[in-house]
Amino acid sequence: MKETSVLCLLFLISLLSCTTNQARLTVSPSSSQFFEGDFVSLSCEEDDSSAGWTLRRNTSRDTRAECEEWGKPAGSSCNITGFHKSDSGVYWCESREGPISNMVSLTVTGGSVILQSPVLPVMEGDDVTLLCKTKTTPSNLPAAFYKDGSLIRKQPTGHMTIQHVSRSDEGLYKCDISGHGESPSSWITVTVINTSTSGEQGLDKEVDDVTPEHHRAVMN
């Protein structure tokens, strides 16, 4: 519990310190959940290569740790071979000048089911597909999908598409495959585009959108 509280605080402090987004952190394969042993590549897509972006993370075992401490650097990317549960945490890019990129929350499970959902915020109006996936069997098994603890629907092939997402679709999602188990939970963020807001106002909105429920999703 103490470690979780510390990580939540570090995550919020990092968000509040964000003054500009000059780089974008991407994850390949694109998912917020992974099985133990998976290979993952994280990359800083830079607007200004002279900024000297560095990949960092906060987990239960390290704070603001650079790629060299937990992965293998490859240009602007950082590769992790053999993901472990202790690698669950918050990842971001940070420059020498101080600005940081978007943050992503990654969860590694030792269980047999994960929910593949968008890593980055999704745009209002877009269609979003969720996949309930098992580690050792084909990913087309019947699955039940939940939002904020309530059943949404059961799908015969393990896929669920949310059409034309809105802010009401934002929340904590998980899935369950009978006989295999339940996935961890992941938070899905929906971004509303307002052309009348400035970049600074948009940033303030992004910080305001970090709810206690999102904190729990990141760290649990």
Side-chain angles (χ1 to χ4, degrees):
M1 178 65 70
K2 182 178 180 181
E3 288 180 346
T4 299
S5 300
V6 170
L7 286 173
C8 288
L9 179 61
L10 289 170
F11 176 62
L12 180 58
I13 290 173
S14 297
L15 278 176
L16 293 175
S17 70
C18 178
T19 57
T20 182
N21 288 340
Q22 295 179 347
R24 185 167 180 262
L25 176 59
T26 61
V27 181
S28 181
S30 182
S31 179
S32 58
Q33 296 183 14
F34 296 91
F35 294 115
E36 281 194 308
D38 281 352
F39 170 85
V40 181
S41 180
L42 301 98
S43 300
C44 293
E45 295 182 353
E46 304 170 274
D47 292 336
D48 179 9
S49 59
S50 65
W53 294 95
T54 300
L55 270 161
R56 294 185 182 276
R57 75 178 190 181
N58 287 344
T59 69
S60 60
R61 65 179 182 181
D62 47 31
T63 302
R64 299 190 71 251
E66 297 185 19
C67 170
E68 290 81 357
E69 301 175 52
W70 43 266
K72 184 177 180 180
S76 61
S77 300
C78 185
N79 298 327
I80 307 175
T81 301
F83 234 6
H84 189 270
K85 284 194 293 184
S86 59
D87 292 311
S88 297
V90 179
Y91 292 73
W92 72 94
C93 304
E94 184 175 311
S95 77
R96 290 189 298 266
E97 288 76 17
I100 64 174
S101 71
N102 60 297
M103 292 185 167
V104 298
S105 170
L106 302 182
T107 301
V108 186
T109 178
S112 58
V113 178
I114 62 172
L115 174 67
Q116 287 192 335
S117 61
V119 180
L120 302 177
V122 297
M123 303 303 296
E124 185 181 34
D126 285 353
D127 293 345
V128 176
T129 297
L130 308 180
L131 169 63
C132 198
K133 183 178 179 181
T134 59
K135 188 172 185 178
T136 58
T137 58
S139 297
N140 59 356
L141 298 175
F145 292 85
Y146 299 82
K147 175 180 179 288
D148 299 330
S150 298
L151 176 67
I152 305 174
R153 70 185 77 140
K154 295 182 179 181
Q155 294 291 91
T157 60
H159 295 76
M160 183 185 77
T161 298
I162 307 171
Q163 296 183 330
H164 311 301
V165 296
S166 64
R167 286 300 294 270
S168 64
D169 293 308
E170 195 170 72
L172 200 59
Y173 289 79
K174 65 180 180 180
C175 66
D176 179 87
I177 296 178
S178 179
H180 294 271
E182 185 178 275
S183 75
S185 297
S186 284
W187 184 272
I188 293 180
T189 299
V190 178
T191 299
V192 178
I193 295 299
N194 187 343
T195 56
S196 65
T197 55
S198 67
E200 182 178 355
Q201 289 173 323
L203 177 61
D204 291 340
K205 181 177 180 300
E206 179 180 339
V207 173
D208 290 340
D209 285 345
V210 181
T211 64
E213 290 82 4
H214 193 174
H215 290 169
R216 288 193 288 270
V218 167
M219 297 307 166
N220 289 339

